[in-house]
Amino acid sequence: MTTQPNFVREELLQELSESFRMHDQIPAELFSRYSIKRGLRNADGTGVLVGASRLGNVHGYIMNEGEREPIEGRLTYRGYNVYDLIHGLEQENRFGFEEVGYLLMCGSLPNRRQLTDFQHTIGLERALPDNFTEDMIMRAPSRDIMNKLAGATLALYSYDENPDETTVENIMRQGISLMAKFPVIISHAYQAKRRYFDGDSMFLHVPDPDRSTAENILHLIRPNGEYTADEALLLDRCLILHAEHGGGNNSSFTVRVTSSSGTDTYSSIAAAVSSLKGPRHGGANLRVVRQFDEIKENVRNWTDEGEVADYLRKIMDGAAGDGSGLIYGMGHAIYTLSDPRAVALKKAARPLAEKTGFSEEMALIELVEKLTPQIFAEKKGLDKPMCANVDLYSGFVYKMLGLPKSIYTPLFATARIVGWMAHRLEEVTSGGKIIRPAYKPLAKSTVYKNLDERG
Ligand code: COA
């Protein structure tokens, strides 16, 4: 595949960009002058209340005398504590992602008959339309699987006989289909990337309708298609922990915004995938892995607190890392003392690290988790708790499972599709109004000049 030639000259780019910078910078003080809720946040950092939901509840602090009081984080799906869901599945030693999808989309936990029927239907829906892999994935492979996933999602519109109808039944049907197909799309997109960009062989396994989502992912991604039961169960738990996170997270809110306009499921979900790709959202799991690769390269003694702390200071100063000043995998908009997803993944990671020879790396991650809040307080002068978020450990677990980096964020999407579809259903049935906030107009009224009069 060849990329398109670039006709936009460097000098032209400079001229256009300079013009933009001259006319379009908005000074920070204007945001406070006009009481603008930047990032839809209140002055105390809490989110602006823009809707109501029965889905995920992300509980990270309590308000006391008008102040945020830090607490251990709690995550519930339709009222069920995610820890209880996982604990129940562990006791019965079975896969649970499909069941959690049922819970989120349909509102209650399925009984045995309902679950079997749901799983069976997902199995039937797994296969991609005829020639979809050849036409939509292999003909235009992408270096980035998230971009391919967004494009493929949008393309599925063409293969749906009833794509636009926004009844509950139709959206539910599309949700089951997307939930079933995401593992196949990301795996085939990954295989195409291997073949066309990495010079490796491509293994196009077919999905197995009788296996769970987690088993299918491992089967489709691995060249030999093999995996152990423990590996598949661990991946299943990862999917459950990523399935939903309230309506305010960037990609679910994207689903809310797009669904409120009445657009179709494929357009709405493709937009959510695009949002999730961002490094401040789902894309952080990839940044975390890159960040640790860099720390491991530049810090001689991984157990030396002083040396690790100095490197973290450099990252926060923008002198190391990706220059953003962010330590990825740390901090959260709502959680304060702990992110329950990070707690669960860390617990799952420990025995796997011992078994796979990654204990030293695990200790380094834990050291970064311990030191970052101290350095954050020292640098920002803020007395604000900061905890590890889900991404600090998710990429590490995927790495120990031998999964390729390029599918870390797509795996997040493969899990979150059920949360997105549940938000879409909720928005379409009870949102009622197009989401349409306001922007303070800042441009001064300007008199039009003919071409010859312009300088
Ligand atoms: N490293 C360095 N600085 C951080 C930080 C981190 N991990 N997390 C927050 N900060 C900084 C912010 O940039 C902000 O600085 P500013 O006031 O100079 O602009 C300040 O701390 C306050 O941020 P806060 O309000 O606590 O966080 P937020 O709600 O705006 O952002 C995240 C939450 C998750 C976007 C943020 O913590 C972050 O970018 N973390 C790293 C990326 C990541 O791991 N994302 C995955 C999220 S699950």
Side-chain angles (χ1 to χ4, degrees), residues 176-214:
I176 293 170
S177 178
L178 287 175
M179 175 185 181
K181 289 179 172 59
F182 267 28
V184 191
I185 296 171
I186 66 163
S187 309
H188 285 190
Y190 163 68
Q191 297 295 349
K193 173 188 172 297
R194 265 172 73 97
R195 166 72 182 80
Y196 292 103
F197 294 103
D198 307 338
D200 284 328
S201 303
M202 183 166 69
F203 298 88
L204 283 185
H205 299 303
V206 283
D208 181 343
D210 295 325
R211 292 192 223 190
S212 67
T213 302

Side-chain angles (χ1 to χ4, degrees), residues 95 98 119 122-124 126-127 179-180 182-184 186-188 205-222 225-227 232 235 239 403 411 414:
F95 295 98
E98 295 75 14
Q119 286 166 326
I122 291 171
L124 296 175
R126 287 233 193 262
M179 175 185 181
F182 267 28
V184 191
I186 66 163
S187 309
H188 285 190
H205 299 303
V206 283
D208 181 343
D210 295 325
R211 292 192 223 190
S212 67
T213 302
E215 288 173 299
N216 262 300
I217 292 169
L218 292 171
H219 167 66
L220 291 161
I221 288 287
R222 292 186 173 170
E226 287 172 12
Y227 54 87
L235 184 56
L239 294 175
L403 293 168
L411 281 174
T414 302

Side-chain angles (χ1 to χ4, degrees), residues 158-315:
S158 312
Y159 297 82
D160 188 334
E161 278 185 1
N162 185 18
D164 286 306
E165 192 184 294
T166 55
T167 56
V168 170
E169 285 75 8
N170 201 41
I171 295 176
M172 194 69 80
R173 174 185 65 78
Q174 292 169 328
I176 293 170
S177 178
L178 287 175
M179 175 185 181
K181 289 179 172 59
F182 267 28
V184 191
I185 296 171
I186 66 163
S187 309
H188 285 190
Y190 163 68
Q191 297 295 349
K193 173 188 172 297
R194 265 172 73 97
R195 166 72 182 80
Y196 292 103
F197 294 103
D198 307 338
D200 284 328
S201 303
M202 183 166 69
F203 298 88
L204 283 185
H205 299 303
V206 283
D208 181 343
D210 295 325
R211 292 192 223 190
S212 67
T213 302
E215 288 173 299
N216 262 300
I217 292 169
L218 292 171
H219 167 66
L220 291 161
I221 288 287
R222 292 186 173 170
N224 64 4
E226 287 172 12
Y227 54 87
T228 66
D230 281 352
E231 287 175 325
L233 283 166
L234 176 58
L235 184 56
D236 177 77
R237 306 311 183 233
C238 292
L239 294 175
I240 292 173
L241 289 167
H242 285 85
E244 155 61 0
H245 217 225
N249 71 79
N250 201 282
S251 56
S252 297
F253 191 57
T254 300
V255 169
R256 292 280 186 168
V257 172
T258 48
S259 295
S260 79
S261 82
T263 195
D264 69 278
T265 294
Y266 303 99
S267 301
S268 177
I269 298 301
V273 172
S274 311
S275 148
L276 190 73
K277 184 191 171 189
R280 288 184 171 206
H281 192 15
N285 63 14
L286 197 54
R287 299 282 168 136
V288 169
V289 176
R290 284 196 201 133
Q291 171 182 279
F292 275 98
D293 285 346
E294 193 187 297
I295 296 176
K296 284 184 295 179
E297 237 169 65
N298 291 285
V299 172
R300 266 177 305 138
N301 182 354
W302 299 358
T303 58
D304 183 332
E305 286 203 9
E307 209 188 332
V308 175
D310 282 345
Y311 202 76
L312 294 176
R313 284 189 190 96
K314 269 195 194 171
I315 296 179

